Amino acid sequence: MRNSLLTAVLIFAVIFAIAVPTAAQNIPIDEITKITVEGNDYVSDFEILNAVKTEVGDQTDQEALRSDMQAVFELGYFSDVNIVFENFEGGLNVIFEVVENPVLREINISGNGDLYSEAEIKEALDLKLETVLNVKKMNENLKAFQEKMQDDGYILARYKDVNISEEGILTVEISPGYLDSIEISGNTKTKNDVILREMPIEAGDVINIKKIQRGYQNLHRLEFFENINPELQRVESEENLAKLVINLEEGQTGRLNFGGGYSSTDGWLGFVDVSEKNLFGNGQNISAKWQFGDTTTYSLNFYEPYLWQSDFSFGFSVYDRETERTNSDGDDYKRESRGGSITFGHPLPNDWRTSLRYRVQDTKEYWSDDSGIIYDNSLRSLTLGFRRDSTNNRFHPTSGSINDFEIEHAGGIVGGEMKFTKFNWDSRRYFHGFKNHALAVRMKLGLSEATTPLEGEEYDLGGSDSLRGYERSDFDYEDKANNNLLLFNIEYRIPLNESFTGVIFTDAGNVWEDRDSISLNDLYYGYGLGVRMNTPVGQLRLDYGWDEDQDGQLHFSIGNTF
């Protein structure tokens, strides 16, 4: 029997509550001679009775019939189930009276905040129209969809209202949870807009914890702060709101570095390096360097990550370098290089970033006694680059990857006397090792198509940043040019304490003049041990590598190899 009006209103946080059916009262003790169903217009007798364990010929049993009534109710098709009895052929006819849920005619979704399309939500509910609404199945699917929203980062998302009308219209209203505001505290130097532009979420957006985590990583990469502590706080309101509070502790962003050393290619040298990563709290990076000795260099670099508050980045560099050298005949000469570059960048989907760089360089070689010019050349090039960094830590990554791809073209319509096209690919991958150890793997490939000699633009191999155990001069051939490069590096990094990290490494690589000569069977190998030390001026790196002839070579540098 159906009530004249049936409206089931289900409001819940995560899971619907299913009411317990009315228990049969004052069950007479007698033999069951028949079992029937009444009130079902759409659900078949067979499907209902298939859930009933009691059989014809059994004696009536209160607990057994209560269990059968619960089993029928849990089919999900009914808003009420009851049992009545009538005499039949010397025994009892057990009648299961059911009240069917409405036939589902329409599903309306509201309040989802464009998190998912209506079609996606209906697919997740998996309810068929023109059939009796199965509340059990609906509850299970709504619970699964709630878990999906949580897994996708919508941690405040919940069901605000679920309603099925007599006409069979199911309404599902979702409250996704919105960000009321962002509060920043502790930033004494860095401006608020510099911090907020790193957050991929703003007031009024649906709260997604993954976006907040990505914003935390962006702020961490800036290296402006000693500590960053973002937290969500509920806002007292009838709406599903929360505010994001970002607690910061400013760090040291300006540095003055100086030192000296010896290089087999550049001889004795000293340097003074001044840099500021957060100029006037605007997030701009500027640095100036003076290197003196057998090589004298002056350079100035500037980088603006958000040009005029847009998504475009801008950077420029200028330099003047003079080197004193001696040729194979013992004659002294000087090499002068002056130039600079301008670079524009823009983000791409999936954390990729593209950049376009215009580079200018004029190079001249002349005898130290001013007796004449040996070499005079100009370079003008355009470089299109693509980069993606998904590492979990900028300086000590244990997961993620870095991928760089560049195409550089010089000459032709770009100008300059040098003419070439270079393709450079640098791919790095990081893995968790034993305990807090890390495994780092790198592959670097450089290919060039040169119309003019790559004087000063050849690929370098050997030394602290590429093939350890060898010096760069080991691959400077007089009879061929280093037009192509292939390099592999593997490091296993073992943190010893907060200041020191031990490293075991293996390197393999070579350079070739012709691309057709590139072969994995023609690689040079190096291996060795190293240590990294964290200092106020950066990470110092000391490696000792052996070549294939077991000859050892000490390498000293600053920062990770890759």
Side-chain angles (χ1 to χ4, degrees), residues 109-180:
I109 309 295
S110 64
N112 60 319
D114 296 326
L115 305 187
Y116 308 92
S117 68
E118 189 170 309
E120 287 177 306
I121 300 176
K122 289 181 178 179
E123 182 179 0
L125 293 179
D126 191 25
L127 300 175
K128 294 182 180 180
L129 298 180
E130 306 304 325
T131 61
V132 172
L133 175 65
N134 189 316
V135 175
K136 178 182 179 182
K137 181 180 180 181
M138 178 181 68
N139 291 342
E140 291 174 349
N141 292 344
L142 281 170
K143 177 185 176 183
F145 188 71
Q146 172 90 20
E147 293 173 351
K148 171 179 170 57
M149 290 191 292
Q150 296 285 323
D151 292 341
D152 290 344
Y154 303 109
I155 59 173
L156 296 187
R158 59 182 176 82
Y159 298 110
K160 187 175 182 180
D161 182 60
V162 177
N163 178 284
I164 178 68
S165 70
E166 181 186 26
E167 292 77 19
I169 300 176
L170 175 64
T171 301
V172 179
E173 184 178 357
I174 299 173
S175 177
Y178 291 93
L179 185 64
D180 179 73

Side-chain angles (χ1 to χ4, degrees), residues 355-454:
S355 63
L356 183 65
R357 181 177 71 248
Y358 177 66
R359 182 162 69 107
V360 175
Q361 179 176 288
D362 293 319
T363 304
K364 181 187 296 185
E365 292 180 358
Y366 56 90
W367 299 115
S368 296
D369 58 6
D370 296 328
S371 60
I373 294 177
I374 307 171
Y375 174 82
D376 191 355
N377 205 348
S378 62
L379 166 68
R380 307 289 185 269
S381 73
L382 277 176
T383 301
L384 178 63
F386 299 91
R387 177 180 175 86
R388 184 175 188 266
D389 185 345
S390 62
T391 56
N392 63 339
N393 187 290
R394 184 171 182 178
F395 298 101
H396 307 287
T398 56
S399 67
S401 63
I402 299 175
N403 290 283
D404 283 293
F405 179 73
E406 289 185 346
I407 304 174
E408 182 178 14
H409 179 75
I413 61 174
V414 183
E417 297 174 275
M418 297 190 69
K419 296 181 180 180
F420 64 80
T421 301
K422 283 185 175 182
F423 303 88
N424 298 312
W425 179 23
D426 192 335
S427 184
R428 311 169 188 191
R429 189 76 171 88
Y430 305 91
F431 305 90
H432 285 284
F434 180 71
K435 292 186 177 179
N436 59 343
H437 302 179
L439 176 66
V441 181
R442 176 197 196 186
M443 188 206 75
K444 186 176 181 180
L445 176 65
L447 306 174
S448 65
E449 296 178 353
T451 313
T452 60
L454 296 177

